């Protein structure tokens, strides 16, 4: 079983999932510890390498706790969903409202290009429900993810 209460550390990871880990390291760990997961492959476009997504579930549903995304064999993004109970160092967590988060982190900025997403210069993004304003997802990632040349995959 995976601890779904571990702290969420931007640019680092959470629990056993460390950003920049290899796909093989993570998959081997899950298999060796009999941890159930779902896996899918997507390709953002014809040019980019495939992205491998491993999802961990708490209730047996698809990705209700977390998923980790790899490109070129490196873990570059972790998405933590409603069933993940860990918190960021500032105390922000899923299931709190975006309004509560905005009081905690005054540097959060609304992403005009992506509805219902706030970005922090401290290395995390918050996705929330437009009606309830509840935070649904916390995303953490490698630092290169925030730069225009991310899709050159030279990280």
């Amino acid at each position: 079983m995976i601890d779904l209460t571990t702290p969420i550390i931007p640019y680092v990871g959470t629990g056993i999932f460390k950003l920049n880990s290899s796909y093989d390291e993570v998959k081997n760990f899950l298999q060796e510890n009999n941890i159930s997961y779902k896996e899918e492959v997507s390709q953002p476009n014809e040019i980019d390498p495939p992205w491998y997504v491993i999802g961990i579930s708490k209730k047996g549903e698809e990705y209700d706790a977390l998923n980790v995304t790899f490109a070129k064999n490196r873990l570059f993004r972790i998405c933590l969903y409603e069933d993940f109970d860990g918190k960021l160092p500032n105390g922000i967590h899923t299931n709190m409202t975006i309004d509560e988060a905005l009081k905690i982190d005054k540097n959060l900025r609304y992403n005009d290009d992506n509805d219902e997403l706030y970005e922090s210069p401290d290395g995390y993004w918050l996705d929330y429900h437009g009606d309830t304003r509840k935070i649904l997802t916390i995303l953490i990632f490698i630092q290169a993810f925030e730069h225009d040349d991310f899709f050159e995959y030279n990280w």
Side-chain angles (χ1 to χ4, degrees):
M1 186 65 173
I2 291 184
D3 184 357
L4 300 176
T5 64
T6 56
I8 304 164
I9 311 298
Y11 303 125
V12 175
T14 184
I16 64 155
F17 298 104
K18 302 298 182 213
L19 293 165
N20 288 310
S21 296
S22 78
Y23 171 80
D24 293 333
E25 284 176 288
V26 171
K27 196 162 176 188
N28 288 340
F29 176 86
L30 296 173
Q31 289 172 343
E32 289 168 6
N33 290 279
N34 295 318
I35 297 169
S36 178
Y37 63 92
K38 295 179 184 178
E39 186 175 15
E40 66 180 53
V41 179
S42 66
Q43 188 130 10
N45 57 51
E46 301 171 355
I47 301 168
D48 289 327
W51 289 10
Y52 295 86
V53 181
I54 294 175
I56 305 295
S57 174
K58 183 176 179 179
K59 298 177 190 168
E61 298 170 13
E62 189 169 340
Y63 306 151
D64 61 4
L66 66 93
N67 76 33
V68 292
T69 307
F70 300 82
K72 293 190 112 176
N73 198 36
R74 287 190 49 201
L75 175 52
F76 72 87
R77 180 180 68 189
I78 301 173
C79 299
L80 306 148
Y81 299 110
E82 294 175 271
D83 281 341
F84 190 88
D85 297 322
K87 297 179 181 180
L88 289 160
N90 60 14
I92 292 174
H93 57 88
T94 57
N95 298 309
M96 73 187 316
T97 67
I98 194 65
D99 303 304
E100 292 171 304
L102 288 165
K103 289 177 186 170
I104 294 170
D105 186 347
K106 308 279 190 228
N107 294 317
L108 283 169
R109 295 293 171 252
Y110 186 73
N111 181 321
D112 293 325
D113 296 330
N114 194 341
D115 287 344
E116 299 162 359
L117 184 73
Y118 275 85
E119 299 177 1
S120 171
D122 297 324
Y124 64 92
W125 295 354
L126 304 174
D127 179 34
Y128 68 99
H129 188 280
D131 294 330
T132 65
R133 301 191 56 80
K134 186 170 79 168
I135 297 172
L136 303 174
T137 310
I138 297 174
L139 295 92
I140 60 173
F141 34 77
I142 61 173
Q143 287 184 323
F145 192 69
E146 298 176 297
H147 300 285
D148 292 337
D149 62 352
F150 169 79
F151 287 102
E152 293 176 17
Y153 297 96
N154 292 326
W155 26 268

